[in-house]
Amino acid sequence: MIPVMEQTLTRPQLCALLGVAPKTLYLWEKSGQVRPPRRTRRGWRAYTPRDVAALRRHLGRDAPSPPARPAARDLEGLSARNQLAGTVVSVRGEGLLCEVVLRLGDGQEMSAVITRRSAERLGLRKGQRATAVVKATEVMLFR
């Protein structure tokens, strides 16, 4: 186990940085294509700059190591670790509820049904960046 350090990334942060789906990364690690990262004392995966460089080589992107944290907004204090950044594709619906469709970095789309008031309060519009926060069966959006 390694201590949580400022230069490590979580799986969602790493996936957002590299533009791959968390499931893809999981399958690469499981099949032995890439080395699994060490874990923190809480059991979370912690990707070091060395891990990032190895993944960039695996993807054919030999670039220098990225900054310690990606530019995406970090919800460190939130108990939901699954954070998927994307672009709003549509906000549809009338009345109390509306469906927000988010296109993730790898082209996949996910949708969430939220109240119209929440969508307005967040200022969700087509083309804007937003992050889906997933915990159990709940999907929350923030911008």
Side-chain angles (χ1 to χ4, degrees):
M1 287 188 285
I2 59 174
V4 177
M5 297 180 289
E6 203 53 36
Q7 66 261 25
T8 62
L9 300 174
T10 63
R11 179 176 275 174
Q13 291 169 330
L14 178 67
C15 290
L17 180 71
L18 298 177
V20 298
K23 183 72 172 182
T24 300
L25 184 56
Y26 165 78
L27 292 172
W28 287 344
E29 291 169 3
K30 186 175 178 181
S31 68
Q33 293 180 50
V34 298
R35 182 179 66 85
R38 292 193 220 161
R39 296 203 179 231
T40 66
R41 61 182 169 82
R42 295 179 73 184
W44 294 10
R45 291 165 184 84
Y47 295 89
T48 64
R50 186 177 182 185
D51 295 325
V52 175
L55 282 162
R56 285 180 178 271
R57 283 191 301 277
H58 182 74
L59 289 168
R61 301 178 194 163
D62 288 329
S65 291
R69 295 272 184 200
R73 185 172 172 191
D74 187 17
L75 296 176
E76 188 93 16
L78 194 63
S79 63
R81 294 184 295 169
N82 301 311
Q83 303 170 22
L84 305 169
T87 304
V88 176
V89 175
S90 66
V91 180
R92 296 181 291 220
E94 295 181 21
L96 181 64
L97 301 175
C98 66
E99 177 191 40
V100 180
V101 178
L102 199 63
R103 180 167 294 131
L104 306 177
D106 60 0
Q108 296 183 57
E109 291 183 354
M110 69 179 304
S111 62
V113 176
I114 62 175
T115 63
R116 174 152 306 284
R117 183 171 180 186
S118 292
E120 290 169 357
R121 184 178 47 80
L122 291 169
L124 295 175
R125 303 274 184 268
K126 184 176 179 178
Q128 288 186 319
R129 299 286 299 165
T131 301
V133 180
V134 183
K135 178 142 178 114
T137 59
E138 301 290 329
V139 176
M140 300 167 276
L141 298 176
F142 79 95
R143 185 176 90 87

